[in-house]
Short mmCIF file of all heavy atoms in Angstrom, two decimals:
data_model
loop_
_atom_site.label_atom_id
_atom_site.label_comp_id
_atom_site.label_asym_id
_atom_site.label_seq_id
_atom_site.Cartn_x
_atom_site.Cartn_y
_atom_site.Cartn_z
N LEU A 839 6.47 7.09 6.74
CA LEU A 839 5.06 6.74 6.92
C LEU A 839 4.17 7.64 6.08
O LEU A 839 4.44 8.83 5.90
CB LEU A 839 4.65 6.87 8.38
CG LEU A 839 5.40 5.97 9.40
CD1 LEU A 839 4.93 6.23 10.79
CD2 LEU A 839 5.23 4.50 9.04
N CYS A 840 3.11 7.07 5.53
CA CYS A 840 2.16 7.78 4.70
C CYS A 840 0.74 7.47 5.26
O CYS A 840 0.34 6.29 5.28
CB CYS A 840 2.28 7.39 3.27
SG CYS A 840 1.02 8.09 2.17
N GLN A 841 0.03 8.44 5.75
CA GLN A 841 -1.30 8.19 6.31
C GLN A 841 -2.35 8.33 5.23
O GLN A 841 -2.44 9.33 4.49
CB GLN A 841 -1.58 9.23 7.35
CG GLN A 841 -2.92 9.07 8.04
CD GLN A 841 -3.23 10.18 9.07
OE1 GLN A 841 -2.45 11.13 9.21
NE2 GLN A 841 -4.32 9.99 9.81
N ALA A 842 -3.14 7.24 5.07
CA ALA A 842 -4.25 7.26 4.18
C ALA A 842 -5.42 8.02 4.81
O ALA A 842 -5.76 7.82 5.95
CB ALA A 842 -4.69 5.84 3.88
N LYS A 843 -6.02 8.90 4.06
CA LYS A 843 -7.10 9.73 4.59
C LYS A 843 -8.36 8.88 4.68
O LYS A 843 -8.78 8.23 3.71
CB LYS A 843 -7.35 10.93 3.69
CG LYS A 843 -6.17 11.92 3.64
CD LYS A 843 -6.40 13.09 2.73
CE LYS A 843 -5.21 14.02 2.75
NZ LYS A 843 -5.41 15.19 1.82
N LEU A 844 -9.00 8.95 5.81
CA LEU A 844 -10.25 8.21 6.10
C LEU A 844 -11.26 9.24 6.58
O LEU A 844 -11.43 9.44 7.79
CB LEU A 844 -9.99 7.11 7.16
CG LEU A 844 -9.17 5.97 6.66
CD1 LEU A 844 -8.60 5.13 7.85
CD2 LEU A 844 -9.85 5.07 5.67
N ASP A 845 -11.92 9.87 5.62
CA ASP A 845 -12.82 10.99 5.94
C ASP A 845 -14.23 10.55 6.31
O ASP A 845 -15.00 11.39 6.80
CB ASP A 845 -12.84 11.98 4.78
CG ASP A 845 -11.50 12.66 4.54
OD1 ASP A 845 -10.78 12.76 5.52
OD2 ASP A 845 -11.21 12.95 3.40
N ILE A 846 -14.56 9.27 6.04
CA ILE A 846 -15.91 8.77 6.38
C ILE A 846 -15.79 7.93 7.65
O ILE A 846 -14.89 7.03 7.74
CB ILE A 846 -16.48 7.96 5.20
CG1 ILE A 846 -16.60 8.82 3.94
CG2 ILE A 846 -17.87 7.43 5.59
CD1 ILE A 846 -17.17 8.17 2.78
N ALA A 847 -16.63 8.19 8.63
CA ALA A 847 -16.55 7.50 9.89
C ALA A 847 -16.49 6.04 9.79
O ALA A 847 -17.23 5.44 8.98
CB ALA A 847 -17.75 7.96 10.77
N PHE A 848 -15.69 5.40 10.62
CA PHE A 848 -15.61 3.94 10.81
C PHE A 848 -14.98 3.25 9.60
O PHE A 848 -15.13 2.02 9.50
CB PHE A 848 -17.01 3.35 11.15
CG PHE A 848 -17.70 4.07 12.25
CD1 PHE A 848 -18.94 4.61 11.99
CD2 PHE A 848 -17.13 4.26 13.47
CE1 PHE A 848 -19.63 5.32 12.99
CE2 PHE A 848 -17.78 4.94 14.47
CZ PHE A 848 -19.04 5.48 14.27
N GLY A 849 -14.33 3.99 8.75
CA GLY A 849 -13.60 3.31 7.66
C GLY A 849 -12.18 2.92 8.14
O GLY A 849 -11.71 3.36 9.19
N THR A 850 -11.59 2.00 7.40
CA THR A 850 -10.24 1.52 7.77
C THR A 850 -9.35 1.46 6.51
O THR A 850 -9.87 1.36 5.41
CB THR A 850 -10.27 0.10 8.41
OG1 THR A 850 -10.81 -0.86 7.40
CG2 THR A 850 -11.10 0.08 9.64
N HIS A 851 -8.12 1.54 6.71
CA HIS A 851 -7.14 1.26 5.59
C HIS A 851 -6.78 -0.20 5.69
O HIS A 851 -5.89 -0.60 6.36
CB HIS A 851 -5.89 2.12 5.70
CG HIS A 851 -4.91 1.91 4.61
ND1 HIS A 851 -3.85 1.10 4.68
CD2 HIS A 851 -5.01 2.36 3.26
CE1 HIS A 851 -3.21 1.06 3.50
NE2 HIS A 851 -3.93 1.84 2.69
N HIS A 852 -7.58 -1.01 4.99
CA HIS A 852 -7.51 -2.45 5.09
C HIS A 852 -6.75 -3.16 4.00
O HIS A 852 -6.50 -4.37 4.03
CB HIS A 852 -8.98 -3.02 5.14
CG HIS A 852 -9.09 -4.27 5.90
ND1 HIS A 852 -9.57 -5.44 5.33
CD2 HIS A 852 -8.81 -4.63 7.20
CE1 HIS A 852 -9.55 -6.43 6.20
NE2 HIS A 852 -9.12 -5.91 7.33
N THR A 853 -6.33 -2.35 2.97
CA THR A 853 -5.61 -2.95 1.82
C THR A 853 -4.27 -3.53 2.33
O THR A 853 -3.59 -2.98 3.22
CB THR A 853 -5.29 -1.78 0.85
OG1 THR A 853 -6.53 -1.41 0.20
CG2 THR A 853 -4.23 -2.19 -0.18
N LYS A 854 -3.87 -4.65 1.68
CA LYS A 854 -2.63 -5.32 2.04
C LYS A 854 -1.92 -5.56 0.70
O LYS A 854 -2.19 -6.49 -0.04
CB LYS A 854 -2.96 -6.63 2.78
CG LYS A 854 -3.58 -6.33 4.12
CD LYS A 854 -4.23 -7.55 4.72
CE LYS A 854 -4.75 -7.23 6.12
NZ LYS A 854 -5.96 -6.29 6.02
N MET A 855 -0.89 -4.74 0.42
CA MET A 855 -0.17 -4.74 -0.80
C MET A 855 1.28 -4.39 -0.62
O MET A 855 1.58 -3.58 0.34
CB MET A 855 -0.82 -3.79 -1.81
CG MET A 855 -0.05 -3.70 -3.15
SD MET A 855 -0.96 -2.80 -4.46
CE MET A 855 -1.01 -1.16 -3.78
N MET A 856 2.16 -4.94 -1.42
CA MET A 856 3.55 -4.56 -1.46
C MET A 856 3.87 -4.08 -2.89
O MET A 856 3.50 -4.73 -3.84
CB MET A 856 4.47 -5.78 -1.12
CG MET A 856 4.16 -6.48 0.15
SD MET A 856 5.37 -7.87 0.39
CE MET A 856 4.54 -8.77 1.72
N LEU A 857 4.59 -2.99 -2.99
CA LEU A 857 5.21 -2.59 -4.20
C LEU A 857 6.74 -2.72 -4.04
O LEU A 857 7.31 -2.10 -3.13
CB LEU A 857 4.83 -1.13 -4.53
CG LEU A 857 3.40 -0.79 -4.65
CD1 LEU A 857 3.15 0.66 -4.95
CD2 LEU A 857 2.72 -1.66 -5.72
N LEU A 858 7.34 -3.52 -4.89
CA LEU A 858 8.76 -3.84 -4.77
C LEU A 858 9.51 -3.38 -5.99
O LEU A 858 9.31 -3.89 -7.10
CB LEU A 858 8.92 -5.33 -4.52
CG LEU A 858 8.14 -5.97 -3.37
CD1 LEU A 858 8.30 -7.45 -3.36
CD2 LEU A 858 8.56 -5.38 -2.06
N GLN A 859 10.41 -2.42 -5.86
CA GLN A 859 11.19 -1.95 -6.94
C GLN A 859 12.54 -2.54 -6.85
O GLN A 859 13.26 -2.48 -5.85
CB GLN A 859 11.35 -0.41 -6.93
CG GLN A 859 12.07 0.17 -8.12
CD GLN A 859 12.24 1.67 -8.03
OE1 GLN A 859 11.92 2.27 -7.01
NE2 GLN A 859 12.77 2.26 -9.09
N TYR A 860 12.97 -3.17 -7.97
CA TYR A 860 14.25 -3.89 -8.05
C TYR A 860 15.17 -3.23 -9.08
O TYR A 860 14.70 -2.45 -9.93
CB TYR A 860 14.04 -5.33 -8.49
CG TYR A 860 13.10 -6.21 -7.69
CD1 TYR A 860 11.85 -6.56 -8.18
CD2 TYR A 860 13.45 -6.63 -6.39
CE1 TYR A 860 10.98 -7.37 -7.45
CE2 TYR A 860 12.57 -7.41 -5.67
CZ TYR A 860 11.37 -7.81 -6.17
OH TYR A 860 10.50 -8.60 -5.46
N GLU A 861 16.42 -3.57 -9.01
CA GLU A 861 17.35 -3.20 -10.04
C GLU A 861 16.85 -3.86 -11.40
O GLU A 861 17.03 -3.27 -12.47
CB GLU A 861 18.78 -3.66 -9.74
CG GLU A 861 19.39 -2.97 -8.53
CD GLU A 861 20.72 -3.50 -8.17
OE1 GLU A 861 21.22 -4.35 -8.97
OE2 GLU A 861 21.28 -3.10 -7.12
N GLU A 862 16.28 -5.01 -11.27
CA GLU A 862 15.88 -5.78 -12.47
C GLU A 862 14.48 -5.40 -12.97
O GLU A 862 14.04 -5.84 -14.07
CB GLU A 862 15.90 -7.30 -12.19
CG GLU A 862 17.23 -7.77 -11.77
CD GLU A 862 17.47 -7.66 -10.24
OE1 GLU A 862 16.61 -7.08 -9.55
OE2 GLU A 862 18.53 -8.22 -9.76
N GLY A 863 13.69 -4.70 -12.21
CA GLY A 863 12.28 -4.44 -12.58
C GLY A 863 11.42 -4.07 -11.40
O GLY A 863 11.84 -3.42 -10.47
N PHE A 864 10.15 -4.53 -11.48
CA PHE A 864 9.13 -4.09 -10.50
C PHE A 864 8.18 -5.26 -10.27
O PHE A 864 7.91 -6.08 -11.14
CB PHE A 864 8.38 -2.90 -11.09
CG PHE A 864 7.47 -2.22 -10.14
CD1 PHE A 864 8.01 -1.15 -9.34
CD2 PHE A 864 6.14 -2.53 -9.96
CE1 PHE A 864 7.21 -0.46 -8.47
CE2 PHE A 864 5.34 -1.82 -9.07
CZ PHE A 864 5.86 -0.82 -8.31
N ARG A 865 7.70 -5.35 -9.00
CA ARG A 865 6.75 -6.43 -8.66
C ARG A 865 5.68 -5.88 -7.75
O ARG A 865 5.90 -4.98 -6.89
CB ARG A 865 7.49 -7.63 -7.99
CG ARG A 865 6.65 -8.86 -7.96
CD ARG A 865 7.35 -10.00 -7.15
NE ARG A 865 8.67 -10.31 -7.62
CZ ARG A 865 8.96 -11.12 -8.59
NH1 ARG A 865 7.97 -11.62 -9.33
NH2 ARG A 865 10.24 -11.36 -8.90
N VAL A 866 4.45 -6.43 -7.93
CA VAL A 866 3.32 -6.11 -7.07
C VAL A 866 2.89 -7.40 -6.35
O VAL A 866 2.79 -8.45 -6.94
CB VAL A 866 2.13 -5.56 -7.92
CG1 VAL A 866 0.95 -5.21 -7.01
CG2 VAL A 866 2.55 -4.35 -8.69
N VAL A 867 2.64 -7.26 -5.07
CA VAL A 867 2.17 -8.41 -4.23
C VAL A 867 0.88 -7.94 -3.54
O VAL A 867 0.89 -6.95 -2.82
CB VAL A 867 3.22 -8.81 -3.20
CG1 VAL A 867 2.71 -10.04 -2.41
CG2 VAL A 867 4.55 -9.12 -3.84
#
């Protein structure tokens, strides 16, 4: 687990992304 720092009140970590590392390469979703 990696905690995103939210130093300003009422903020959220709302990003929705996948980083996928393959034997064949790399993909971003």
